[in-house]
Amino acid sequence: MTARFPRALRRLPGRQILMLAPLVLVLWVAVHHRQVLVAGFGHLRHAQWPWLLAAGAATCGTWVAASAARQGALVQRLPVRRLLATQFAAGAANHLLPTGLGASAVNLRFMAVCGVPLARSSAAVALYLLAESVARIGLLAVLLMVFPHALRFGSLLPDGALVPLLAAVGTLAVAALLVLLLVRRLRLFVLTFLRTAFGEFRAVHTRPSRALALWGGSFAFPALQAGGLVAVGMAMGLPVPPAHMVVAYLAATIAVALIPTPGGVGSVEAALVLALVAAGGPAAIATAVVLTYRIITVWVPILPGALTLGALVRMKVI
C-alpha cells in the first residue's frame, strides 16, 4: 500500500499537486503545533464573544488593507476581486513558509499572470515591504514617544544582557554590509534591483491615488493587526491599557521579523507574551490572550486560505 501511494502521486498532473500542497502543509503544521491549538481553543470558552468577533473583523480588514497597499505599490491596475482573493490565499502561504516569503511568492506569481514584468513586480513587492516596515516602525516610534513607559523590559532581561544583544545585532549588520561590498555579483544585482525599485517608487508617487493606497494600506495593516490583539485582550480581561497593548504588538512583531520561522509560528507567540508581560500583564493571562489571538488570526483562516490558494492555482489566477 505504501509503495502504491508515491506512484499514484507521481501520476497526478503538476497543477493538481500544487493544489494539494497547501492542504498537506496545513495538516503538517497543525499536527506539529497541536498542543498550541488545543490550549488556544480551550481559552476561547472563557472569552467575551463580542470582542472576539471584533478581533475577527479586524483580521478580515487586514486583507483589504494588504490589497490596497499591494495595488498602491504598482502603477499597473490589478483586478480588484482577484487581488483580494490573492491576499487571503497569500496569508495562508505566509504561515507555511518563512516569514514574508509565502505572501511574496504568491503575489509575484499573481502579478506575472496579470502581465507585469518580473523586474517591476519584484520592485512592487520590495516597495510594499518597505512601506509596511516604515509604517510599522513609525507607528511604534510615535506611540513610544506618547507612552514612553508602555514597556518595561528591564525586569525581564537578565543583568548585562542588553549590551551583548545590541552587539550581536550590530555584528550581523556589519557582516551583511561587508558581504555586499566584497561580492561584486551580489552588489551589481542589488544596485540594479534598487534602480528598478526607485523608478517604480517615483512612478507610483506621481499618482496620488496610488500613493494614498500604498501608505494608507501600509499603516492600516499593522494598526488592524494590533487592534485585533487589543480586542482579544479585552475579551480575556487582560489588565493592560489598549495603547500599551498596541505598543507591545508592534515591538514584538518588529523583533520577530528577524527570525525566519514559518509565519512566525513559535517566535511570534513567545515575543508577544514577553511584550505583554513587559507591558504589565500577568504571564498566565498574557499567554491565554496570545494563544487566542493566534487562533483567530492564523489557525481559523489557514484552512480556507489554503483552499482558496488551491482554487486560484486551478483557475490559473496564480
Side-chain angles (χ1 to χ4, degrees):
M1 190 71 175
T2 56
R4 293 177 183 174
F5 179 72
R7 286 199 295 268
L9 187 61
R10 284 196 295 269
R11 287 196 295 269
L12 287 173
R15 191 167 291 275
Q16 291 187 12
I17 294 176
L18 287 175
M19 290 170 56
L20 292 174
L23 296 178
V24 173
L25 287 172
V26 167
L27 292 175
W28 181 85
V29 173
V31 171
H32 187 67
H33 297 277
R34 58 187 178 277
Q35 293 181 344
V36 174
L37 284 171
V38 171
F41 277 111
H43 291 303
L44 289 174
R45 296 195 304 268
H46 309 292
Q48 298 179 35
W49 282 95
W51 284 111
L52 294 184
L53 292 176
T59 300
C60 295
T62 60
W63 303 319
V64 178
S67 299
R70 295 283 185 185
Q71 176 61 87
L74 186 69
V75 173
Q76 181 175 329
R77 186 172 180 80
L78 299 171
V80 176
R81 286 183 293 182
R82 292 185 178 185
L83 176 61
L84 182 59
T86 299
Q87 300 321 302
F88 181 50
N94 216 37
H95 296 308
L96 301 174
L97 295 173
T99 305
L101 292 182
S104 296
V106 170
N107 278 282
L108 281 172
R109 179 59 186 166
F110 172 66
M111 286 186 280
V113 172
C114 291
V116 181
L118 180 60
R120 292 182 58 198
S121 61
S122 300
V125 168
L127 180 55
Y128 167 83
L129 294 174
L130 175 62
E132 202 272 335
S133 300
V134 169
R136 193 175 295 265
I137 294 171
L139 284 173
L140 178 61
V142 170
L143 287 172
L144 282 176
M145 287 189 291
V146 178
F147 306 100
H149 304 296
L151 299 178
R152 299 183 293 275
F153 283 110
S155 59
L156 299 176
L157 293 175
D159 292 338
L162 183 59
V163 173
L165 180 62
L166 294 176
V169 173
T171 302
L172 289 175
V174 171
L177 181 60
L178 287 175
V179 169
L180 185 63
L181 292 175
L182 295 176
V183 181
R184 183 175 180 272
R185 183 173 296 180
L186 177 62
R187 185 172 66 253
L188 291 176
F189 172 80
V190 171
L191 290 175
T192 302
F193 176 77
L194 288 176
R195 280 195 294 269
T196 304
F198 184 67
E200 194 69 24
F201 177 85
R202 287 187 301 179
V204 163
H205 284 81
T206 59
R207 300 192 177 192
S209 61
R210 291 290 187 270
L212 179 61
L214 173 64
W215 292 105
S218 296
F219 276 97
F221 185 73
L224 287 166
Q225 287 182 321
L229 180 65
V230 170
V232 175
M234 301 296 289
M236 305 293 291
L238 182 67
V240 174
H244 292 193
M245 281 191 259
V246 174
V247 172
Y249 175 82
L250 294 172
T253 52
I254 289 171
V256 299
L258 302 175
I259 305 173
T261 59
V265 174
S267 58
V268 169
E269 285 85 353
L272 279 175
V273 170
L274 181 66
L276 289 176
V277 172
I285 302 179
T287 302
V289 168
V290 170
L291 291 178
T292 304
Y293 174 72
R294 294 291 278 175
I295 287 290
I296 294 172
T297 58
V298 176
W299 297 107
V300 170
I302 195 170
L303 181 57
L307 292 172
T308 302
L309 181 59
L312 292 178
V313 170
R314 184 176 182 179
M315 295 165 60
K316 299 183 180 180
V317 175
I318 57 176

